[in-house]
Amino acid sequence: MYSKKTKSAFTLIELLTVIAVIGILAAIMIPTVGAVRTSANKAKTKSQFSQWITAYELFRQEYGYYPNFATNRGNFIINDNAGTLKFAGALTGKNLIGGNALDANLYGNEKRISFYSLSDGDLTSSEADAILRDAFGNTQVGIIVDVTGDGRITADDYTNATALRVETKDGKAFTPSTGTGSDKDIPTDGIRAGVLIYSAGKDGGSKGVMSWK
């Protein structure tokens, strides 16, 4: 006689248990992956800012002053193609597709020296209408330069706190805090620096990315 073998199968309880375990693992892993990505983008953004500041310092060594795109004091928000062309002209001597920058966008770089080479990660596209961005994809970047020449960034170098406001790509705002106290992003007695650069990071609020912190 032949014995009939029966195929074993998962019971409903076993299937539900497996699904529950997968759900728990996903709940643990997804936030962790998101946090790692945010941390990586923050590090990339700070690296970008560091390289841009180096270019500003090289400009100053060559010409004796920092390029200043602002019409009043030294804070400027790059948030469009026009601002990006000023940034590119001053620090690379070129426009965004490799041609010579317009004289109006050189901001003193009359020798058209390339102090920096813009990469794909710095721009929204490779087209002439590209906009400067950080590693989070934010297209609003704040820059403050030492226009007084005292080696510090203080309130004398920016118009007012409101003018420092930047946003994430989905509209979440960040403004560096100013005023008295060591807890302020830009304290009253200032920061020993020639250039400060910042953006709203991933979530804005108090979580902006600043070159000096």
Side-chain angles (χ1 to χ4, degrees):
M1 294 180 64
Y2 295 99
S3 61
K4 188 175 181 180
K5 295 183 179 179
T6 58
K7 294 182 179 180
S8 61
F10 289 111
T11 66
L12 178 59
I13 292 177
E14 289 172 329
L15 287 172
L16 291 174
T17 301
V18 170
I19 292 171
V21 170
I22 292 173
I24 292 171
L25 291 175
I28 295 172
M29 292 299 296
I30 291 175
T32 301
V33 171
V36 169
R37 184 181 295 112
T38 297
S39 179
N41 284 337
K42 181 176 181 179
K44 288 179 183 178
T45 297
K46 288 182 75 71
S47 177
Q48 277 182 297
F49 293 170
S50 177
Q51 292 176 60
W52 297 350
I53 288 173
T54 296
Y56 267 86
E57 293 295 344
L58 291 172
F59 184 108
R60 185 185 65 80
Q61 289 177 23
E62 179 66 29
Y63 294 113
Y65 56 89
Y66 296 109
N68 180 19
F69 313 134
T71 56
N72 184 11
R73 301 194 191 181
N75 66 287
F76 185 79
I77 307 300
I78 296 178
N79 59 5
D80 57 16
N81 179 250
T84 302
L85 287 171
K86 294 174 182 179
F87 182 89
L91 298 183
T92 74
K94 302 288 185 180
N95 59 30
L96 300 180
I97 53 175
N100 284 334
L102 296 175
D103 290 348
N105 288 330
L106 291 174
Y107 284 85
N109 188 6
E110 57 192 32
K111 300 177 185 178
R112 298 182 184 274
I113 297 172
S114 178
F115 301 105
Y116 181 71
S117 179
L118 287 165
S119 68
D120 291 342
D122 294 322
L123 301 168
T124 54
S125 74
S126 59
E127 304 299 323
D129 60 353
I131 301 174
L132 196 71
R133 68 172 183 179
D134 67 7
F136 290 96
N138 299 322
T139 54
Q140 291 194 14
V141 176
I143 299 176
I144 311 173
V145 298
D146 173 23
V147 292
T148 61
D150 62 358
R152 300 185 72 84
I153 300 292
T154 67
D156 292 330
D157 297 304
Y158 58 87
T159 51
N160 55 67
T162 302
L164 303 178
R165 184 177 184 271
V166 291
E167 295 183 357
T168 65
K169 58 186 177 182
D170 53 356
K172 298 173 184 175
F174 167 70
T175 303
S177 60
T178 60
T180 304
S182 59
D183 61 323
K184 300 299 183 182
D185 296 326
I186 307 177
T188 301
D189 60 351
I191 296 172
R192 186 173 297 281
V195 182
L196 302 181
I197 303 179
Y198 60 94
S199 70
K202 180 179 181 294
D203 297 312
S206 61
K207 298 181 180 179
V209 181
M210 295 167 276
S211 63
W212 65 100
K213 297 189 76 173

